[in-house]
């Protein structure tokens, strides 16, 4: 009988619980009203560089522009009173730029976008589309104003520069062809064209190129320079004060570390296998290795070992992947010692080459963990340096027999130099956001997360910074895919909502395009 | 790449139905009483406890029945404000069982059932399409059994279980602008069950049963990819038809059940059950592909894809009652609470699961040797917050479900 009572009580309790259970959502998303909070999105203008323009796959083209993060933001802003978002769309989906050079002739100053032609042994074969024939004339000036003022290639200082849209300045690099396309006049600066629109809201993501271009140039000062942090601060603060004068509210983003992008992390430091050296023919590659060991690596290894620097160069292996040969300006130059040792070796070949060996290999070493090889360097592996007679031409094979010059490799000290500069830039950016009360996006942290092992997952799709297969970076290894820009757009939205009490919904990154596979 | 199949919980739905998002539909009489187990009136006891056969009054008992199970799941993403509803077709599990007593002390029986059968169908283009678009599951249990009456008040019974299953799973592979279908029609496994059935007092039935874990082995599964072009085939090491084989072992978990029925009066009985499901065994699902290097996170063997599942053991509490209005008409009611086998952090859309309250009811008619029973159940799954960081799947999910069933029984002697 006791059991019955217990059971009955339990049944009643259960039924009671049933009536109070939560089977329906407290709030149905269909009933949620989105709000602009304290912001006014009616005139949103985006400032920035290629990342803002929607540039990807090494080019600016229509599909990429339509999937730029400012365009995504504008789409969400429309839900709460945002206005039209006009972009300086390119003429086609191939990208690339032609500059008229007089007499009806044109010079192609930008390549068309990259695409995957196919796969070779599981590795993507990537090249410019449409046989790299661009059709977009820089002189085809678009009628603005435009809401997306992202200018590929722009550094901080460039946004302030007058005549940055003057077609006559392109050759001398005082102007930018992408800004030329939509500047209100040849004399205009980006920031002037921005201010003249009286924006109510802005986004600013600039400064990447102050470090990135230098990094992609292998930190070779003769090609690109790293903006000194103090100079960066001067320009950045100047820019912010001009933006502040417009009274627009806005959001600013910091700069991602450039050393975790696929463009610098994809090529291993040791790509030289027998198959690679023999261009697919392993036997030929093994013969090449024997030859290199006999004529270059073996003697150099012996000489350097005798000089107490034997860790610089070791003979190549036929069975394992071998490191690239690079020049490292940060290590002591043993050129004179190498020349002396070669001259005194008694080996007629070495004696004959002694001066050359010292001059060429004084700061040579094999690449190792910590060195970064830009994606663009891959094509240069094994290409020939022109050597003075009577040096055998085969010794000029770059990265194999001839040390890669500065521009092909980032050595650890250069990586540190770049990252230190970015850290300093980011202090400036964060300080500006804090001082002016702008929403702040830690893009650096987000892209670090992307570069981590677990990446970023969204509705079952995992994004990582891995080249091609990671899905977030486009084929240039620097710029994001539509999906990657979607991830970033959500960071902007989150920051905007947090600062201005708005409730813009996030975008679904999965619905944008990733790497286009054939 | 990994994500292509990351949530490839092959027969996960089978598993899930076995105890978590459980549609307990094995006997129409039982369902009407919250699917409680200590009922030895006819052969439908066989699924619950083979020892129960010994207490079936008739020498030969035959039952058969079928159900309709309708459910709908809604997922809403509070960040993007998207809302998605499933379009699941009606599930139609069926069962049949026969028991026979060649001698008084010995009963033999056979149970056929489709205990786990459902289709979860999300819109093809919904936000979670890379996890699942459609997951169809079917299973068949073939269960011969024997029971021995050890004493007038005690029986022991044991069964052998041959399980057969089918999975048919579609999901998007947006990286290649395509889809993949994961299919195995011939997954199988072996298990056993045993139990004790007590009747210490004519008024009291007690059922204690154990059903073993079953390793469902999908040995010859096929993953069929469909892409706009065939270029990815070689990349994924697929054959000319875009296919690759896979194998997987899926742990169907063990279940412990204690049930009792008390006859308060000759006309009125009350039943209670407690189930314990050993879901912890399902900590991960491993898919071993023949060739496809889909597991980029597993460099040592990229053809072995490991998906974390992190299920936990779960419990079900059941209470039911039956009242005989006449000796021909019976009324039944019940309610039960079924715990989800995973936390909000492990919610997966291919096998949506909720803590669920269910109320049940039914009517039975006895016409000489024939019995006709109908039952219905209304489920009240508790909405839950979805917080799966591994999949980046965030939002809220709710569901509703109802069941109805029609059962026939024949007890000629």
């Amino acid at each position: 009988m006791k059991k019955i009572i217990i059971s009955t009580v339990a049944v009643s309790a259960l039924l009671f619980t049933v009536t109070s259970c939560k089977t329906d959502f407290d709030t149905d998303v269909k009933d949620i009203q989105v709000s602009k909070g304290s912001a006014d999105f009616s005139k949103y203008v985006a400032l920035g560089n290629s990342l803002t323009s929607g540039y990807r796959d090494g080019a600016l083209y229509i599909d990429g522009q339509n999937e730029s993060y400012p365009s995504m933001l504008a789409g969400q802003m429309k839900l709460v009173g945002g206005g039209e978002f006009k972009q300086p769309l390119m003429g086609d989906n191939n990208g690339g730029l032609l500059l008229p050079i007089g007499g009806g002739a044109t010079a192609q100053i930008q390549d068309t976008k990259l695409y995957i032609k196919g796969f070779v042994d599981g590795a993507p074969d990537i090249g410019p589309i449409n046989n790299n024939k661009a059709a977009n004339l820089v002189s085809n000036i678009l009628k603005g104003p435009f809401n997306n003022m992202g200018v590929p290639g722009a550094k901080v200082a460039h946004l302030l520069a007058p005549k940055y849209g003057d077609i006559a300045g392109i050759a001398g690099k005082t102007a930018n062809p992408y800004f030329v396309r939509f500047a209100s006049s040849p004399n205009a600066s980006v920031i002037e064209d921005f201010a003249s629109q009286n924006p109510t809201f802005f986004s600013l993501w600039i400064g990447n190129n102050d470090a990135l271009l230098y990094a992609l140039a292998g930190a070779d000062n003769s090609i690109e320079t790293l903006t000194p942090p103090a100079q960066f601060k001067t320009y950045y603060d100047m820019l912010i004060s001009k933006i502040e004068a417009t009274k627009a509210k806005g959001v600013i983003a910091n700069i991602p570390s450039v050393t975790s992008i696929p463009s610098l992390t994809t090529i291993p430091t040791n790509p030289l296998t027998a198959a690679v050296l023999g261009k697919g023919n392993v036997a030929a590659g093994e013969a090449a290795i024997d030859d290199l060991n006999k004529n270059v690596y073996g003697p150099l290894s012996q000489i350097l070992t005798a000089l107490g620097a034997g860790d610089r160069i070791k003979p190549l292996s036929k069975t394992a992947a071998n490191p690239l040969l690079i020049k490292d300006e940060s290590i002591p130059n043993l050129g004179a010692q190498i020349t002396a040792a070669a001259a005194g070796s008694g080996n007629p070949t070495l004696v004959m080459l002694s001066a050359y060996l010292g001059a060429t290999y004084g700061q040579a070493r094999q690449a190792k963990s910590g060195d970064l090889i830009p994606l663009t360097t891959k094509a240069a592996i094994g290409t020939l340096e022109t050597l003075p007679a009577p040096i055998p031409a085969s010794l000029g094979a770059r990265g194999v027999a001839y040390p890669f010059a500065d521009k092909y490799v980032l050595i650890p000290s250069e990586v540190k130099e770049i990252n230190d500069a970015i850290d300093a830039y980011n202090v400036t950016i964060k300080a500006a956001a804090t001082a002016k009360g702008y929403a702040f996006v830690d893009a650096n942290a987000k892209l670090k997360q992307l570069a981590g092992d677990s990446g970023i997952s969204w509705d079952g799709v995992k994004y990582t910074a891995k080249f091609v297969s990671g899905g977030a970076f486009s084929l240039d290894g620097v710029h994001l895919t539509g999906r990657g820009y979607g991830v970033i757009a959500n960071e902007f939205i989150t920051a905007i909502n947090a600062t201005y009490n708005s409730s813009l919904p996030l975008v679904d990154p999965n619905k944008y395009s990733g790497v286009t596979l054939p | 790449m990994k994500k292509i199949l990351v949530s490839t919980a092959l027969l996960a739905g089978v598993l899930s139905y076995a105890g978590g998002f459980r549609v307990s539909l094995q006997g129409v009489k039982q369902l009407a009483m919250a699917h409680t187990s200590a009922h030895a009136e006819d052969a439908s006891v066989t699924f619950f406890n083979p020892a129960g056969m010994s207490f079936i009054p008739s020498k030969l008992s035959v039952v058969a029945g079928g159900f309709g199970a309708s459910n709908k799941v809604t997922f809403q993403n509070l960040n993007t404000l998207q809302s998605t509803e499933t379009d699941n077709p009606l599930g139609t599990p069926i069962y049949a069982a026969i028991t026979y007593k060649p001698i008084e002390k010995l009963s033999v029986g056979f149970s056929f059932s489709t205990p786990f059968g459902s289709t979860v169908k999300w819109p093809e283009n919904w936000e979670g399409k890379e996890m699942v678009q459609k997951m169809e599951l079917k299973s068949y249990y073939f269960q011969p059994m024997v029971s021995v009456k050890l004493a007038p008040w005690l029986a022991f019974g044991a069964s052998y279980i041959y399980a057969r299953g089918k999975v048919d799973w579609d999901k998007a592979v947006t990286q290649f602008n395509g889809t993949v279908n994961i299919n195995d029609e011939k997954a199988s496994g072996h298990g056993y069950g045993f139990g004790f059935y007590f009747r210490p007092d004519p008024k009291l039935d007690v059922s204690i049963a154990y059903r073993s874990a079953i390793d469902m082995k999908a040995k010859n599964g096929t993953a069929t990819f469909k892409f706009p072009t065939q270029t990815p085939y070689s990349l994924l090491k697929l054959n000319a038809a875009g296919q690759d084989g896979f194998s997987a072992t899926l742990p169907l978990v063990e279940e412990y059940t204690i049930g009792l029925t008390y006859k308060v009066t000759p006309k009125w009985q009350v039943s209670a059950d407690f189930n314990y499901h050993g879901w912890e065994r399902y900590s991960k699902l491993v898919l071993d592909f023949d060739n496809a290097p889909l597991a980029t996170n597993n460099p040592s063997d990229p053809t072995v894809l490991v998906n974390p599942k992190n299920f936990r053991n779960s419990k079900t509490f059941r209470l039911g009652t039956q009242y005989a209005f006449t000796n021909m008409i019976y009324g039944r009611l019940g309610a039960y609470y079924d715990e989800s086998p995973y936390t909000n952090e492990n919610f997966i859309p291919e096998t949506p699961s909720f803590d669920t309250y269910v109320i049940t009811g039914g009517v039975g008619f006895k016409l000489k040797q024939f019995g006709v029973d109908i039952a219905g159940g209304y489920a009240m799954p508790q909405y839950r917050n979805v917080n799966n960081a591994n999949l980046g799947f965030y939002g809220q999910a709710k569901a509703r479900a109802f069941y109805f069933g029609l059962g026939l029984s024949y007890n000629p002697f």
Side-chain angles (χ1 to χ4, degrees):
Chain A
M1 205 56 211
K2 202 168 136 197
K3 191 138 278 151
I4 301 162
I5 294 164
I6 292 170
S7 304
T8 313
V9 169
V11 170
S12 327
L14 189 62
L15 290 172
F16 176 75
T17 322
V18 162
T19 57
S20 66
C21 64
K22 296 170 137 188
T23 56
D24 214 351
F25 299 136
D26 290 338
T27 310
D28 198 298
V29 292
K30 290 174 187 123
D31 302 328
I32 292 178
Q33 293 292 318
V34 289
S35 143
K36 63 180 178 161
S38 59
D40 174 358
F41 300 118
S42 59
K43 183 89 183 172
Y44 161 50
V45 182
L47 282 174
N49 51 36
S50 50
L51 293 167
T52 296
S53 69
Y55 191 99
R56 67 189 193 196
D57 299 323
L60 190 67
Y61 59 96
I62 295 172
D63 286 353
Q65 290 177 294
N66 284 333
E67 293 190 340
S68 64
Y69 77 84
S71 172
M72 296 177 194
L73 294 188
Q76 305 304 86
M77 288 172 179
K78 268 193 186 162
L79 303 171
V80 290
E84 285 304 303
F85 191 79
K86 204 171 157 192
Q87 303 197 86
L89 293 180
M90 295 286 280
D92 58 32
N93 257 325
N94 292 333
L97 288 176
L98 295 175
L99 180 65
I101 50 173
T106 55
Q108 184 160 330
I109 55 169
Q110 290 284 311
D111 290 345
T112 59
K113 75 175 175 192
L114 300 169
Y115 80 114
I116 299 178
K117 300 179 210 166
F119 288 88
V120 181
D121 296 333
D125 178 15
I126 297 170
I129 205 164
N130 196 31
N131 293 321
N132 201 14
K133 286 196 173 62
N136 295 282
L137 279 172
V138 174
S139 54
N140 181 17
I141 311 292
L142 304 177
K143 176 84 185 97
F146 292 99
N147 300 76
N148 188 341
M149 299 190 63
V151 181
K155 296 184 177 184
V156 173
H158 293 151
L159 300 192
L160 298 157
K163 291 182 174 286
Y164 194 52
D166 184 353
I167 195 165
I170 291 176
K173 296 198 171 178
T174 59
N176 181 309
Y178 289 101
F179 186 50
V180 168
R181 294 180 60 247
F182 67 91
S184 63
S185 81
N187 291 323
S189 69
V190 174
I191 194 66
E192 281 166 12
D193 276 4
F194 166 82
S196 67
Q197 295 191 55
N198 292 317
T200 61
F201 199 86
F202 74 93
S203 65
L204 175 69
W205 193 13
I206 191 72
N208 226 41
N209 289 326
D210 291 82
L212 174 72
L213 298 178
Y214 177 69
L216 294 180
D220 184 336
N221 268 313
S222 67
I223 302 171
E224 286 285 350
T225 55
L226 181 69
T227 306
Q231 193 183 333
F232 182 95
K233 181 169 167 50
T234 304
Y235 287 126
Y236 201 88
D237 289 348
M238 215 184 280
L239 189 62
I240 288 289
S241 70
K242 293 203 182 263
I243 291 172
E244 191 188 14
T246 67
K247 310 280 185 218
K249 290 177 175 174
V251 54
I252 65 182
N254 70 1
I255 298 168
S257 161
V258 299
T259 50
S260 52
I261 57 178
S263 169
L264 292 173
T265 55
T266 301
I267 307 300
T269 55
N270 60 340
L272 305 178
T273 58
V276 167
L277 289 171
K279 295 190 169 60
N281 182 338
V282 173
E286 288 178 346
I289 287 172
D290 283 337
D291 198 44
L292 284 164
N293 281 342
K294 180 162 170 274
N295 296 314
V296 186
Y297 284 82
L300 281 173
S301 173
Q302 273 184 18
I303 293 170
L304 288 167
T305 303
L307 294 172
D311 58 338
R312 287 191 183 184
I313 292 174
K314 295 196 164 60
L316 301 180
S317 157
K318 286 186 203 171
T319 51
N322 297 289
L324 293 167
L325 192 61
I326 67 169
K327 183 180 176 189
D328 181 345
E329 315 87 70
S330 71
I331 56 178
N333 191 338
L334 299 176
Q337 292 92 320
I338 290 172
T339 299
S345 66
N347 176 330
T349 313
L350 289 184
V351 173
M352 188 264 288
L353 293 173
S354 61
Y356 169 78
L357 293 175
T360 308
Y361 299 104
Q363 289 180 307
R365 67 167 170 84
Q366 286 166 318
K368 58 190 180 193
S369 166
D371 295 324
L372 298 177
I373 319 292
L375 213 45
T376 45
T377 293
K378 189 183 180 191
I381 296 173
T383 57
L384 291 180
E385 189 83 11
T386 309
L387 302 181
I391 316 292
S394 65
L395 286 186
R398 294 186 183 104
V400 180
Y402 191 90
F404 260 139
D406 190 8
K407 65 175 177 179
Y408 292 111
V409 181
L410 285 176
I411 58 176
S413 59
E414 292 170 339
V415 171
K416 183 173 185 316
E417 176 194 23
I418 292 163
N419 280 334
D420 285 352
I422 290 174
D423 288 346
Y425 299 167
N426 282 343
V427 169
T428 297
I429 294 171
K430 179 77 207 278
T434 307
K436 311 298 180 191
Y438 296 136
F440 173 73
V441 176
D442 193 346
N444 188 21
K446 200 65 189 174
L447 290 190
K448 270 197 183 121
Q449 198 187 338
L450 201 58
D453 285 342
S454 50
I456 292 171
S457 291
W458 185 279
D459 285 341
V461 182
K462 182 173 161 175
Y463 298 109
T464 69
K466 210 164 157 20
F467 189 52
V468 180
S469 64
F473 279 90
S474 72
L475 296 175
D476 58 32
V478 174
H479 299 93
L480 301 168
T481 58
R483 293 174 158 208
Y485 283 124
V487 169
I488 283 298
N490 283 340
E491 290 303 295
F492 276 79
I493 291 171
T494 304
I496 291 168
N497 286 343
T499 304
Y500 298 108
N501 235 345
S502 51
S503 59
L504 298 174
L506 299 186
V507 301
D508 175 3
N510 295 355
K511 76 177 187 192
Y512 300 103
S513 54
V515 171
T516 308
L517 293 154
Chain B
M1 278 319 293
K2 181 189 159 205
K3 269 305 128 169
I4 292 180
L5 291 172
V6 112
S7 46
T8 316
L10 174 60
L11 294 177
V14 169
L15 298 171
S16 194
Y17 259 53
F21 182 60
R22 175 193 183 99
V23 183
S24 301
L25 301 171
Q26 291 306 328
V28 171
K29 278 178 190 162
Q30 281 87 345
L31 172 66
M33 289 180 275
H35 212 250
T36 47
S37 66
H39 306 289
E41 293 176 356
D42 61 34
S44 57
V45 72
T46 52
F47 179 82
F48 299 85
N49 184 352
M53 290 193 298
S54 292
F55 288 91
I56 296 171
S58 54
K59 192 174 182 186
L60 173 69
S61 173
V62 182
V63 296
F67 299 88
S70 167
N71 70 82
K72 176 176 275 190
V73 181
T74 307
F75 174 76
Q76 67 174 16
N77 185 329
L78 294 167
N79 293 317
T80 61
L81 305 184
Q82 295 177 86
S83 176
T84 309
E85 274 186 358
T86 61
D87 181 22
N88 304 331
L90 188 75
T92 54
I94 55 170
Y95 68 93
I98 179 167
T99 63
Y100 182 65
K101 280 195 187 69
I103 54 173
E104 174 53 28
K105 290 201 165 176
L106 180 74
S107 301
V108 291
F110 183 82
S111 156
F112 167 77
S113 54
T114 57
F116 322 119
S118 78
T119 303
V120 177
K121 189 169 182 292
W122 294 91
E124 247 173 50
N125 212 18
W126 83 293
E127 60 185 301
K129 62 185 171 184
E130 289 242 359
M131 295 179 281
V132 59
Q133 289 170 317
K134 193 184 87 173
M135 165 85 96
E136 186 187 353
L137 301 156
K138 282 207 172 81
S139 76
Y140 310 93
Y141 267 32
F142 303 89
Q143 221 173 325
M145 59 191 70
V146 60
S147 175
V148 180
K149 210 160 191 178
L150 303 172
W153 55 275
L154 169 66
F156 171 78
S159 71
Y160 159 75
I161 304 171
Y162 175 66
R164 195 74 189 215
K166 167 190 168 172
V167 62
D168 190 9
W169 186 1
D170 292 327
K171 52 208 269 177
V173 184
T174 55
Q175 191 185 3
F176 294 98
N177 196 20
T179 56
V180 63
N181 171 263
I182 303 272
N183 192 296
D184 191 312
E185 311 252 331
K186 291 177 180 165
S188 65
H190 307 272
Y192 61 91
F194 64 84
F196 292 94
Y197 202 96
F198 306 86
R199 191 172 279 164
D201 180 289
K203 289 181 172 175
L204 181 66
D205 280 25
V206 178
S207 168
I208 297 177
Y210 171 78
R211 195 175 308 121
S212 77
I214 296 179
D215 280 337
M216 284 289 267
K217 292 202 164 93
K219 291 178 185 160
N220 295 302
T222 306
T224 307
F225 292 81
K226 284 201 177 111
F227 303 126
T229 72
Q230 297 193 352
T231 319
Y233 287 7
S234 63
L235 197 62
L236 299 178
K237 303 194 174 158
L238 309 175
N239 67 17
Q243 292 179 324
D244 191 30
F246 70 88
S247 62
T249 298
L250 305 139
L252 292 188
V253 301
E254 67 226 329
E255 180 173 321
Y256 302 82
T257 301
I258 296 178
L260 45 89
T261 294
Y262 190 79
K263 294 187 181 66
V264 185
T265 72
K267 288 185 164 186
W268 179 36
Q269 65 185 51
V270 177
S271 301
D273 258 38
F274 171 73
N275 310 120
Y276 189 74
H277 315 278
W279 281 108
E280 231 165 64
R281 279 190 93 216
Y282 193 42
S283 60
K284 61 184 186 214
L285 175 71
V286 179
L287 286 180
D288 189 351
F289 288 89
D290 295 350
N291 302 305
L294 299 172
T296 51
N297 60 335
N298 187 4
S300 62
D301 190 351
T303 65
V304 177
L305 195 61
V306 180
N307 307 289
K309 292 294 165 194
N310 303 318
F311 278 42
R312 59 180 176 183
N313 292 341
S314 67
K315 304 178 280 289
T316 310
F317 304 90
R318 305 168 184 282
L319 280 169
T321 186
Q322 170 178 289
Y323 186 80
F325 294 107
T326 71
N327 58 6
M328 287 174 68
I329 302 175
Y330 299 81
R332 302 179 183 113
L333 281 176
Y336 65 90
Y337 174 70
D338 194 8
E339 235 177 30
S340 169
Y342 53 66
T343 61
N344 291 345
E345 289 71 28
N346 293 290
F347 187 98
I348 40 179
E350 66 270 28
T351 57
S353 161
F354 303 83
D355 290 340
T356 303
Y357 294 97
V358 184
I359 51 174
T360 63
V363 189
F365 304 95
K366 208 183 213 173
L367 308 161
K368 297 188 179 170
Q369 281 94 10
F370 292 95
V372 177
D373 298 285
I374 55 171
Y378 179 72
M380 285 160 284
Q382 304 295 285
Y383 90 78
R384 63 191 304 174
N385 293 312
V386 176
N387 199 13
N388 191 327
N390 179 46
L391 296 171
F393 188 49
Y394 300 101
Q396 291 181 328
K398 68 174 180 180
R400 56 200 167 80
F402 64 90
Y403 322 115
F404 55 89
L406 171 70
L408 304 171
S409 51
Y410 176 63
N411 316 304
F413 294 99

